[in-house]
Amino acid sequence: MPELPEVEALAGFLREHAVGAVIGRIDIAALSVLKTFDPPIAELQGRDVTGAARFGKHLALQAGDLWLITHLSRGGWLRWTDNPSAAPPKPGKGPLALRIHFFTPEGSTPAIDLTEAGTKKRLAVWVVHDPKEVPGVARLGPDALAVTEPEFGEILAGTTARLKTSLVDQSLIAGIGNAYSDEILHVAKLSPFASSNKLDAEATSALYRAMREVLTDAVSRSVGQDAARLKGEKRSGMRVHARVGLPCPVCGDPVREVSYSERSFQYCATCQTGGKILADRRMSRLLK
């Protein structure tokens, strides 16, 4: 799933390539992707693109007083096409969900494709006058790169959830998902199952610094990359996430995993849990 660094990079890519262009034909290949009907998406046609932004993990394209907000969810992605097909796509065929054609000041006619891999279709698009009309945007907590350390401490002190859960809860802190929360906890040397409201001041400060370090580094590596290369850039920077069985880059011990029904996370027992192995939920209860 694209998280804060990748969505920030996509917003930057759109600011560079789409702002100033005129929105042309909009092809809908999967009607289920549209979550609003008033104003209709056709209202965007003929408008100038005036901006692009990020709200948590939501990507936004601005056209005057209208916004097209996208949540790419788990299998969604944005692809820029310099020479799109002139023929409208056939509904229900392939991963393409939505295509937006542009007319640029230079006279080119590129397009962006919103695609989604897999059978579970969760990619979502809204057309609104105010981004906060999107329920997921309205519920967002402070952005992970904007929250101050005192605010961060207050957020953790106010929840009894485990650290892993708190970091990915968008209503508490916006922008962090499964992958970067693994990385942040590894850098901070904290257990995913530590209680958020029981961290002392030193551990809270270490977690805040790790969050800033991991996300800032990922943004610096991602921004300016071609949209097609962002997924590979994300994977290349991971220390523990999706690296089960590989050596921890800090201590050399194997990276371990805890799995749930639809997702999993990775950690280093030596660096984060004092050597204790967290039990996989598929086999037994979680160990603290």
Side-chain angles (χ1 to χ4, degrees), residues 175 255 282:
V255 173
R282 292 172 298 185

Side-chain angles (χ1 to χ4, degrees), residues 4-179:
L4 185 156
E6 295 77 47
V7 180
E8 183 66 33
L10 289 173
F13 183 89
L14 291 177
R15 283 191 287 268
E16 181 179 352
H17 293 85
V19 169
V22 176
I23 298 174
R25 193 180 77 223
I26 300 175
D27 299 326
I28 303 170
L31 189 59
S32 62
V33 76
L34 293 176
K35 304 306 177 184
T36 53
F37 61 90
D38 184 22
I41 195 168
E43 189 85 9
L44 293 168
Q45 293 178 184
R47 287 174 172 254
D48 292 338
V49 178
T50 54
R54 175 184 63 81
F55 300 97
K57 293 187 285 184
H58 293 72
L59 179 64
L61 193 69
Q62 186 178 13
D65 64 343
L66 287 182
W67 292 80
L68 185 141
I69 311 287
T70 302
H71 192 277
L72 295 169
S73 193
R74 193 166 186 175
W77 196 244
L78 179 147
R79 183 174 59 198
W80 180 269
T81 306
D82 287 317
N83 298 295
S85 171
K90 294 182 179 180
K93 299 294 184 180
L96 180 64
L98 187 74
R99 174 174 291 157
I100 303 174
H101 296 261
F102 298 103
F103 301 98
T104 72
E106 295 76 24
S108 60
T109 56
I112 55 172
D113 288 350
L114 292 176
T115 63
E116 186 169 25
T119 57
K120 294 185 177 180
K121 302 302 182 182
R122 297 170 179 169
L123 177 69
V125 173
W126 298 261
V127 179
V128 293
H129 288 285
D130 184 339
K132 289 188 177 180
E133 293 176 44
V134 177
V137 174
R139 291 194 297 265
L140 290 177
D143 192 80
L145 284 180
V147 66
T148 66
E149 186 169 342
E151 290 171 337
F152 183 72
E154 290 178 7
I155 289 169
L156 294 184
T159 176
T160 59
R162 300 183 187 274
L163 284 182
K164 173 73 178 182
T165 302
S166 295
L167 288 177
V168 300
D169 185 340
Q170 300 302 294
S171 67
L172 296 180
I173 304 166
I176 303 171
N178 193 40

